[in-house]
Amino acid sequence: MRWLAVCGLLALLLTSENATGASVEEVFQQYGLFGTWATDCSRPATPGNPHVVITTPSEGLVLEDHNLGPDFAVNRYSVLSAQPIAATSLAVHVIFQPGSEMEERQKLIFSIHKNTRRTVYNQAESGAVRVKDGVALAGGSKTPTLRKCRERSVSH
């Protein structure tokens, strides 16, 4: 029953306007999401240590790139909407691999707490749930907890 309530809330949140009227960029800024995230920021990107970079290359466009290392293509997400659920939860609607043959709309929920971020829910628009309660259903493994990496200063 709880699961149905969560799905209903998610559907309502993702189909309605943000109650605060804030843009995706503003919501991501409020949650401190811009920058680089990884399980271990000091180690290179691998499937077990994805590096997630969240940027806003132009006004109104928020992109999230998942780098799994040199042997893999970068997974890109274009964020269409972001709706706070609670102080530590955010629902987002994205396009996975925009403009490619693999393009797919997805609904996600992130748990965000003390400079960590974790995907706790992911469902394709076509209906397939991929992550439920922080567990990837395909393999039964927990989604990684990503930590915000300190930005390196660049000297000129």
Side-chain angles (χ1 to χ4, degrees), residues 41-111:
C41 297
S42 67
R43 300 183 54 92
T46 64
N49 186 41
H51 285 221
V52 175
V53 179
I54 302 172
T55 61
T56 181
S58 63
E59 188 175 334
L61 178 62
V62 174
L63 298 177
E64 184 171 312
D65 290 336
H66 291 223
N67 180 352
L68 304 177
D71 296 332
F72 299 89
V74 171
N75 290 324
R76 171 162 281 179
Y77 297 82
S78 178
V79 183
L80 301 174
S81 67
Q83 179 68 45
I85 297 173
T88 59
S89 297
L90 181 65
V92 297
H93 190 190
V94 302
I95 299 175
F96 171 73
Q97 301 295 53
S100 76
E101 291 180 17
M102 296 173 48
E103 181 175 292
E104 175 182 69
R105 291 178 184 261
Q106 298 177 359
K107 301 170 192 172
L108 298 102
I109 297 178
F110 301 137
S111 174

